[in-house]
Amino acid sequence: MVLMDAPQSKSRDLDKLLLRSGNLVGPGFFPGTDLRDDIREYVRVLVVGAGGLGCELLKDLALSGFRNLDVIDMDRIEVTNLNRQFLFRLEDVGKPKAEVAAKRVMERVSGVEIKPHFSRIEDKELDFYNDFNIIALGLDSIEARRYINGVACGFLEYDEDDNPRSETIKPMVDGGTEGFKGHARVIVPGVTPCFECTIWLFPPQVKFPLCTLAETPRNAAHCIEYAHLIKWHEVHGGKSFDPDEPEHMKWVYDEAIKRAELFGIPGVTYSLTQGVVKNIIPAIASTNAIISAACALETLKIVSGCSKTLANYLTYNGGEGLHTKVTEFERDKECLVCGPGILIELDTSITLQKFIDMLEEHPKLLLSNASVKHGKDSLYMQAPPVLEEMHRTNLSKPLYDLMGRVEKDTVHVFGTALKNEEKQSSLTKLRVVFKEVDGVADMDTAILRVNSKRKTPL
Amino acid sequence: MEKDEQEPTMSEPTKTKYDRQLRIWGEVGQAALENASICLLNCGPTGSEALKNLVLGGIGSITVVDGSKVEIGDLGNNFMVDKKSVGESKAKTVCAFLQELNDAVRANFVEENPDSLILTDPSFFSQFTLVIATQLVEDSMVKLDRICREANVMLVFARSYGLTGLVRISVKEHTIIDSKPDHFLDDLRLNNPWPELKRFVETIDLKTPDPIAYKHIPYVVILVKMADEWAKTHSSNLPSTREEKREFKDLVKSKMVSMDEDNYKEAVEATFKVFAPRGISKEIQEIIDDRYAEVGSNSSAFWVMVAALKEFVSNEGDGEAPLEGSMPDMTSSTEHYINLQKIYHTKAEDDCLSMEQRVKDILAKVGRDPSSISKQTIKSFCKNARKLKVCRYRMIEDEFSNPSVTELQKCLASQDYSSAIGFYILLRAVDRFAATYNKFPGQFDGGDIEEDASRLRTIAPSVINEMGCDGYELPEELCNEMCRFGAAELHVVAAFIGGIASQEVIKLITKQFVPMLGTFVFNGIDHNSQSLTL
C-alpha cells in the first residue's frame, strides 16, 4: 500500500478516467499511460474564438490533459468583454484576444503550448485546419460556424459504398450562448449531422419591414433602425456606417431621438441604440462556463474514448429553473456540405473555364468567382493576382485532364454564393463524374451539353 | 417618458464593463449582487470556478474557507493555483487569484476545514448572504443545512464526483416578483376589455373605405370589436366550444379584403387571446390563497403586497390582477398604436394606485409604517403580478429521510431518469462508504478497486431502503463507474457544476428569473442530466 508516499501526479484526477477501464466507454478505448501520454504529446486541438467561450475552452482543455492547443481570433479586447472573458484585464484592452489568452493560460498551466493566431478564419489555408485532430468552436455568428463547418466537412471523403472514410473525419465541438441559454453539440462529419444539415435550428434574424421603419414606426427600435438604415444613407451618401465609431453611434442616437419625438414614441436610450444597431447579445460568465465545460468534456471523450459521448445536441436553459435536454438529430444524406457532394456529370472535353461558368448557373450552387481545388492542387484561384496569373493557363484546358484523367473524384469550389438574397463566401464539395459523349444526359448539365464543343479527341 | 429605474449609482467605466450583464438584470440586480457577501466552503475547482463567475460579475464580497494545502495534483485540475503555490494554503492562493480578477470585490479567506467549522463555530455562517458549500459529504450537508436554515442564510450545495455531481439549493422560501419568464402571454384583455378600451375601440370604424387605413387598424381593435359583436349574438358569451372558436376565426379571416393586410393576419393568429380564460391563473390563485398571505406585523413586503393583490382581485380587479400595461408591437398606424398604448398605460397606472392604497392600509393595519414599501416596488409588483413565483425548498434531512413518493415512482418508472436516480443514490452511498472505510471507493489504485466495488454494492441498499424504494436495483455499470471515478474532481465537470451553482446564486441574490427546484443530478456520460424534486 503505497498511498501516502507515492509521488503525486499532476494528472491525479484525470488518470482515473484515462488509466482505468470502464463500463460506459467509447469504442476503441484503451486505458493506460500510453493513452494519457499520447494525448499530451500528439493530439492537437484548435480553439476557434478567444472570447467568452474561447477563454473558458482554453482553460478547460489545458486542464484536461491537452498540451498542444492553437487559438484563432481576429478581435481585440474591449472593456465590455471583461465581465466574462477572465483571461483579460483592463490594461489588455486593445490587444489581440488570441495572443493575450494564449499567454495567460500558458503562464498558469505549465507544460501547455498554445499558439495564438491573430487573424480571420478565412485567411488560413485549408491545410492549417487539417493539422488538428479536433476543432472546438467558441463563435458568435452563424456565418463563422458555417465556414469552419464547410472546411472540416470538406476533408471528409467517402468510399465506393458511400461510407465515410474514418481517417478523413474531422470532428468538431460547437458551443453557443445567449444570456441564460446555450447549446453544446458534437459534429462528426459523415456520422452526425453537420452544421449545415441542421441550419433550420437557427431562426432567421428579426428584420423590420421597410414600411414600418419609413412610415409607421411604433416603438423605439423602429426609430433607431430608421436612423441607422435609412436616414444615415440619406445624409451620408456613400460613407459606410461603423458601429464601433462613437461619433457614428451618437449620430444615430440623436436622429432616433428626433424621430421618436416626432411620433411621440418613448423609450429611445443610448444603451438601446447600441443594442439594436450592434445586435448586442447579453452575456454572462456562468453560461459561458457551463457550455464550454460541456464542449471541453466532449472533446476529451471523443479524443480518448474514456466515456460515451453526447449524442449529439445539448440545449441548456437556466432562466426558468434549470433545463438541459439532449436531442439526437439525424444527418441529411443530401447535405451539400457533409454529404458525398453534389453530383456533377461532365463531358471529358469540358474546359475549366466552362466548368467555372457552369457553377454560376447551377441551381443548387449559384456560385460566382469560383476558385477550384482538386485535392491538394489548386486548379484555379481568383486571388491573389499573382496566383491568378499563374493558374490562368488552366482555364482553357479540359477539367478531365487537369484532374488526372480519373473517372470521378471530389472537387472543392470556393467563391461567392447567393444565399437568401445575400452574397456569402461559400465552400462546397462536388462529386465530379466524367461521362462518355453519348452517355445519359443529366438535368444539371443540360445547359452545358448544348454549349460544349469537343476540343480534344477521345 | 418615464424613468422606471433608480438613478444609476455606477461610474461610467464600471457600467461599460458590466454592460453585457446589465442588459440582463439591470442596475437593480447589479446593486443586489454588489451588496451580497458569499462564503465558499472548499476551494477545489468546483468551488473556485463557481466563485470565479461571481467575482467576474461584481459580487460584493467573498470568503473562502478551506484548510488544505496546495498539492501537485491540484495543478492538474485547478486554474487558480500554480506551481509557486504548492505547499501553501489553498484558500489563500485561490483568494489571491480571485482578488486579481476583480479588484472591486472584497476577498477574504479562512484557513480551516469546513467540516470542523460546521461543528465548532456554527455562528460563523450568520454573517453571510449566501453559502456555497462544495464537496461536502452527507453528514456535513445535513448539519450545515440546519445552521443556515436557522440563521436565515441562503445555501447552495455543489458537488463534482468523476463524471457525475449535483447542485441543490436549500432556502426556506424565495419569493420572486421579477421572474422574467421566456414566454408569457401579453395582458391585452381582449377577452375582458374595460370601459375605456371599449370606448376607444368604438371610435374606430372597421369598415373604413380607405384601404390604407383599413390595413393599419391594430388587431386589438379588430378583435375587441368582433368579440363584442359575437357576444351580442351569443348571449353575452365569448366563443368557447371548438366549433365556435373556428367560426370566430373564420369570421375574422373573412374580413380580409386583400393579401397584404398584415393587421388582419395578425388578428387571425391572435384569436386565441379572445378565447383565453379570464382572470388569474391557478398558480397566482395558489399564491394569494397561501397562508403567508394572511399577513402580520412580521410579514415580508412580498406577502403584504400579495395580501393587497388578493383584495384587489376580489374588488376593483373584478377577478383580474392589475393590468400589466404594455403592448406587443403590431401592425398599426402610429397614431392608433400610440393612442392604444396610452389607454393601457393609464389603466395600469390606475390599478397601481389602487394597489398602493391597499398596501398602505394593510401596513397600517398590522402596525407597520405605511410608507415602508416603496412606490417603485409596488409598481414592479403590479407589472409582474401575473408572473409571481414562490419557491420553497425542503431541508436536506427531510428529503433524505422522507423523499416524495410520487416523485420517486416517476423516476423509477422512467428510462430518462434511471441514471439520475442511480447517481443520486450512489452519491450518498459513497459517503457512507467513506464514513466506514475512511476513503472513497476506488480512490486509490491497485487491487482495492475490485474490493471497493463489491463493498459499494453492499452499502448502496441501505440508502435505497431508507429512501423507501426497496427492490430498486442499482445498475451494475453505474456502480462500477462510480468506483472508477474514485472521487476524482475533474476540471471540466467542476467548471460545469460550478457554473450552474454560480448561476443559481445570481438568481437567488438578484431575485430575478427562477431558481431551479430540486436536486440537479449531473450526468457527464451522455448529458442526460435531470432534476429530482424529492
Side-chain angles (χ1 to χ4, degrees):
Chain A
M1 300 282 225
V2 285
L3 312 168
M4 299 306 144
D5 299 316
Q8 264 222 20
S9 157
K10 257 184 79 170
S11 61
R12 166 195 70 195
D13 296 87
L14 265 174
D15 280 352
K16 303 224 159 65
L17 278 195
L18 296 178
L19 270 47
R20 296 177 174 186
S21 60
N23 284 105
L24 299 162
V25 295
F29 171 53
F30 299 110
T33 48
D34 282 350
L35 174 62
R36 178 192 65 195
D37 296 345
D38 282 352
I39 292 176
R40 260 186 211 157
E41 264 219 63
Y42 301 117
V43 174
R44 292 191 63 195
V45 184
L46 173 65
V47 174
V48 184
L53 290 166
C55 286
E56 297 279 345
L57 278 168
L58 285 172
K59 159 183 70 75
D60 293 342
L61 293 169
L63 290 174
S64 297
F66 294 98
R67 288 295 142 98
N68 300 298
L69 306 173
D70 282 51
V71 60
I72 178 169
D73 192 311
M74 64 181 185
D75 285 333
R76 293 178 182 273
I77 299 163
E78 292 172 27
V79 174
T80 53
N81 299 150
L82 301 178
N83 78 326
R84 63 203 182 281
Q85 298 173 25
F86 67 97
L87 297 174
F88 312 141
R89 305 282 174 270
L90 197 54
E91 50 275 16
D92 297 322
V93 171
K95 296 184 194 158
K97 287 187 178 185
E99 289 169 15
V100 179
K103 178 161 158 269
R104 286 280 150 69
V105 177
M106 285 194 283
E107 272 167 15
R108 297 208 62 87
V109 184
S110 69
V112 70
E113 284 291 316
I114 309 181
K115 193 152 175 261
H117 303 268
F118 175 43
S119 88
R120 302 177 68 232
I121 52 181
E122 295 93 339
D123 293 342
K124 290 291 187 189
E125 295 287 315
L126 290 184
D127 282 344
F128 168 75
Y129 293 101
N130 211 4
D131 276 344
F132 299 99
N133 299 85
I134 183 166
I135 301 178
L137 311 184
L139 293 165
D140 59 3
S141 80
I142 296 180
E143 297 76 40
R145 285 188 175 92
R146 266 184 134 154
Y147 183 81
I148 299 283
N149 183 67
V151 169
C153 293
F155 298 127
L156 181 66
E157 285 171 29
Y158 285 81
D159 63 20
E160 302 88 48
D161 302 318
D162 272 357
N163 290 321
R165 288 214 169 91
S166 59
E167 69 277 9
T168 64
I169 295 178
K170 182 90 50 205
M172 287 171 280
V173 178
D174 170 61
T177 65
E178 181 170 342
F180 283 109
K181 295 194 194 138
H183 81 267
R185 70 188 296 185
V186 167
I187 298 179
V188 182
V191 178
T192 70
C194 76
F195 191 73
E196 210 67 34
C197 292
T198 50
I199 196 76
W200 46 266
L201 278 170
F202 292 88
Q205 228 188 302
V206 172
K207 282 200 160 95
F208 300 121
L210 209 51
C211 54
T212 302
L213 299 186
E215 275 142 50
T216 54
R218 295 174 293 270
N219 60 35
H222 296 156
C223 299
I224 293 165
E225 287 289 64
Y226 167 81
H228 167 220
L229 300 172
I230 298 177
K231 192 79 186 201
W232 175 271
H233 293 291
E234 268 174 35
V235 173
H236 292 97
K239 188 157 83 170
S240 60
F241 173 79
D242 180 2
D244 292 320
E245 184 58 53
E247 278 185 27
H248 291 198
M249 190 63 77
K250 177 95 183 21
W251 186 94
V252 166
Y253 168 68
D254 289 337
E255 285 300 317
I257 289 273
K258 280 192 214 152
R259 187 157 178 85
E261 270 164 18
L262 186 63
F263 284 88
I265 294 171
V268 175
T269 62
Y270 192 75
S271 172
L272 183 64
T273 305
Q274 285 178 310
V276 169
V277 169
K278 286 186 175 185
N279 196 26
I280 291 179
I281 296 175
I284 44 179
S286 50
T287 318
N288 282 335
I290 292 164
I291 294 298
S292 304
C295 289
L297 174 57
E298 291 312 305
T299 306
L300 174 63
K301 290 193 284 177
I302 290 170
V303 164
S304 67
C306 69
S307 175
K308 285 185 193 274
T309 53
L310 167 67
N312 47 53
Y313 198 103
L314 172 73
T315 50
Y316 168 83
N317 191 341
E320 273 176 87
L322 168 58
H323 300 285
T324 66
K325 183 168 190 247
V326 176
T327 311
E328 185 160 12
F329 289 110
E330 276 187 25
R331 246 185 87 217
D332 175 5
K333 299 223 164 59
E334 308 293 314
C335 180
L336 292 184
V337 177
C338 73
I342 305 180
L343 182 63
I344 308 267
E345 292 179 312
L346 301 172
D347 269 350
T348 51
S349 61
I350 299 300
T351 60
L352 180 57
Q353 178 68 68
K354 207 74 246 168
F355 175 69
I356 289 175
D357 292 340
M358 198 197 105
L359 297 177
E360 212 162 337
E361 306 275 320
H362 192 296
K364 281 188 183 153
L365 290 171
L366 302 175
L367 194 73
S368 46
N369 301 320
S371 301
V372 182
K373 208 165 178 207
H374 172 232
K376 289 209 179 289
D377 300 320
S378 289
L379 301 186
Y380 180 69
M381 296 182 73
Q382 297 275 349
V386 124
L387 290 174
E388 195 279 320
E389 217 182 297
M390 249 172 71
H391 290 95
R392 210 180 293 164
T393 48
N394 285 345
L395 290 175
S396 52
K397 297 184 185 153
L399 183 60
Y400 181 61
D401 290 351
L402 291 168
M403 284 174 65
R405 297 190 159 218
V406 290
E407 201 195 315
K408 61 177 177 175
D409 209 349
T410 306
V411 148
H412 289 94
V413 291
F414 178 81
T416 320
L418 206 60
K419 281 180 187 159
N420 298 327
E421 293 169 34
E422 265 181 55
K423 284 191 184 257
Q424 280 176 24
S425 281
S426 170
L427 177 67
T428 319
K429 189 194 303 173
L430 303 175
R431 209 172 10 161
V432 172
V433 174
F434 290 101
K435 294 280 183 181
E436 297 304 324
V437 179
D438 39 353
V440 176
D442 183 84
M443 279 303 282
D444 290 334
T445 57
I447 311 160
L448 198 62
R449 288 195 166 277
V450 166
N451 295 331
S452 73
K453 283 190 173 71
R454 292 200 57 77
K455 287 227 170 97
T456 59
L458 273 169
Chain B
M1 199 190 314
E2 269 188 68
K3 202 156 203 307
D4 282 38
E5 291 158 24
Q6 304 173 303
E7 280 306 307
T9 49
M10 266 177 265
S11 64
E12 273 310 307
T14 320
K15 219 169 155 181
T16 323
K17 175 164 95 163
Y18 294 136
D19 179 83
R20 297 301 186 262
Q21 66 197 41
L22 289 173
R23 287 171 191 273
I24 297 177
W25 52 69
E27 291 185 19
V28 175
Q30 187 65 29
L33 288 170
E34 288 173 13
N35 281 323
S37 73
I38 310 285
C39 174
L40 171 70
L41 300 184
N42 289 316
C43 58
T46 309
S48 301
E49 290 292 314
L51 227 47
K52 156 184 137 275
N53 300 330
L54 295 170
V55 163
L56 284 168
I59 201 83
S61 83
I62 58 168
T63 301
V64 179
V65 179
D66 191 313
S68 64
K69 304 278 187 214
V70 177
E71 295 176 358
I72 298 203
D74 296 332
L75 299 179
N77 74 358
N78 196 337
F79 195 72
M80 304 191 196
V81 303
D82 59 1
K83 253 196 311 213
K84 295 195 295 309
S85 56
V86 173
E88 306 255 329
S89 150
K90 195 152 47 172
K92 180 170 174 207
T93 311
V94 168
C95 191
F97 177 91
L98 290 171
Q99 179 71 89
E100 201 254 327
L101 212 49
N102 188 342
D103 50 26
V105 175
R106 288 182 308 283
N108 314 292
F109 68 93
V110 172
E111 251 192 276
E112 247 204 86
N113 180 311
D115 296 316
S116 326
L117 199 57
I118 288 170
L119 287 174
T120 60
D121 190 10
S123 63
F124 171 79
F125 301 99
S126 321
Q127 58 181 299
F128 303 105
T129 319
L130 185 148
V131 175
I132 303 176
T134 69
Q135 307 302 85
L136 291 187
V137 295
E138 234 185 13
D139 196 53
S140 300
M141 280 173 75
V142 168
K143 293 195 168 82
L144 181 63
D145 193 33
R146 284 185 196 139
I147 295 169
C148 289
R149 212 38 97 95
E150 179 73 41
N152 207 20
V153 171
M154 294 190 279
L155 179 52
V156 176
F157 292 108
R159 190 161 181 195
S160 305
Y161 195 105
L163 291 179
T164 184
L166 62 79
V167 181
R168 162 65 148 93
I169 296 174
S170 185
V171 168
K172 184 167 179 204
E173 180 183 274
H174 179 74
T175 58
I176 310 162
I177 296 171
D178 205 359
S179 63
K180 295 192 159 124
D182 251 344
H183 303 288
F184 204 89
L185 193 55
D186 43 51
D187 199 11
L188 290 176
R189 301 278 170 96
L190 302 183
N191 57 358
N192 197 3
W194 63 99
E196 283 76 18
L197 178 60
K198 282 203 222 178
R199 273 201 286 277
F200 174 78
V201 162
E202 266 151 45
T203 65
I204 297 172
D205 181 14
L206 283 189
K207 301 194 189 70
T208 173
D210 173 5
I212 306 278
Y214 193 80
K215 66 181 185 182
H216 282 98
I217 297 172
Y219 76 73
V220 165
V221 172
I222 297 172
L223 290 177
V224 168
K225 260 198 201 275
M226 294 187 67
D228 189 48
E229 274 167 32
W230 176 282
K232 287 197 177 101
T233 54
H234 288 78
S235 28
S236 299
N237 290 327
L238 287 176
S240 52
T241 67
R242 209 132 150 229
E243 263 120 51
E244 287 179 333
K245 290 178 185 175
R246 207 177 314 142
E247 215 186 300
F248 184 80
K249 201 167 177 174
D250 288 341
L251 198 59
V252 177
K253 232 185 262 184
S254 71
K255 303 286 181 192
M256 271 181 79
V257 174
S258 71
M259 279 315 292
D260 66 344
E261 285 155 14
D262 286 337
N263 58 335
Y264 274 93
K265 285 187 196 148
E266 287 165 15
V268 170
E269 260 161 60
T271 51
F272 73 94
K273 298 182 188 181
V274 174
F275 316 144
R278 291 178 173 174
I280 56 176
S281 71
K282 187 164 142 270
E283 225 188 310
I284 300 298
Q285 187 68 54
E286 273 174 24
I287 293 177
I288 64 180
D289 287 341
D290 193 294
R291 62 187 181 91
Y292 276 74
E294 281 153 53
V295 294
S297 54
N298 281 329
S299 294
S300 65
F302 179 86
W303 289 111
V304 169
M305 291 187 285
V306 168
L309 177 65
K310 185 171 190 165
E311 288 177 10
F312 179 94
V313 170
S314 322
N315 293 291
E316 59 270 31
D318 198 20
E320 301 273 6
L323 186 72
E324 195 264 347
S326 70
M327 274 172 60
D329 192 27
M330 59 187 71
T331 302
S332 168
S333 69
T334 308
E335 195 189 333
H336 285 332
Y337 189 82
I338 304 277
N339 288 334
L340 259 181
Q341 256 188 338
K342 287 202 186 104
I343 291 176
Y344 279 87
H345 273 156
T346 306
K347 170 140 176 73
E349 268 176 23
D350 288 344
D351 286 355
C352 190
L353 277 167
S354 295
M355 280 287 290
E356 246 183 274
Q357 192 55 55
R358 291 195 175 276
V359 167
K360 286 197 171 102
D361 292 343
I362 291 172
L363 283 170
K365 204 162 61 175
V366 297
R368 296 248 296 271
D369 172 10
S371 59
S372 58
I373 300 179
S374 75
K375 187 183 171 98
Q376 195 188 313
T377 307
I378 299 171
K379 188 162 180 190
S380 173
F381 185 91
C382 288
K383 242 183 127 58
N384 290 289
R386 298 170 312 140
K387 307 172 188 173
L388 306 172
K389 288 254 185 226
V390 176
C391 299
R392 292 189 174 121
Y393 299 85
R394 296 184 77 189
M395 288 191 72
I396 299 290
E397 59 191 311
D398 292 340
E399 176 178 316
F400 282 176
S401 61
N402 203 12
S404 150
V405 173
T406 35
E407 180 79 3
L408 261 179
Q409 274 170 359
K410 178 184 89 178
C411 296
L412 296 173
S414 158
Q415 182 62 13
D416 282 342
Y417 282 84
S418 65
S419 58
I421 195 76
F423 277 133
Y424 177 89
I425 290 169
L426 283 164
L427 281 163
R428 289 182 57 191
V430 297
D431 287 346
R432 293 193 185 191
F433 184 107
T436 312
Y437 300 103
N438 256 333
K439 57 164 182 162
F440 288 101
Q443 191 170 359
F444 304 108
D445 292 325
D448 279 1
I449 300 187
E450 297 276 318
E451 199 181 13
D452 284 354
S454 73
R455 282 171 174 167
L456 184 60
R457 272 198 290 280
T458 337
I459 288 183
S462 74
V463 177
I464 294 171
N465 292 337
E466 259 177 57
M467 287 174 66
C469 34
D470 323 22
Y472 169 73
E473 265 196 54
L474 210 49
E476 197 171 318
E477 310 174 309
L478 233 49
C479 214
N480 291 342
E481 280 300 283
M482 205 66 177
C483 280
R484 177 186 176 213
F485 296 158
E489 203 177 343
L490 298 166
H491 181 81
V492 282
V493 175
F496 190 97
I497 299 271
I500 301 248
S502 64
Q503 199 154 94
E504 295 304 314
V505 169
I506 289 172
K507 291 189 279 185
L508 288 168
I509 292 181
T510 57
K511 288 181 147 272
Q512 295 180 29
F513 301 95
V514 185
M516 71 162 139
L517 289 175
T519 306
F520 174 74
V521 180
F522 176 65
N523 179 340
I525 298 173
D526 56 16
H527 275 289
N528 191 16
S529 310
Q530 300 287 356
S531 289
L532 308 177
T533 310
L534 298 165

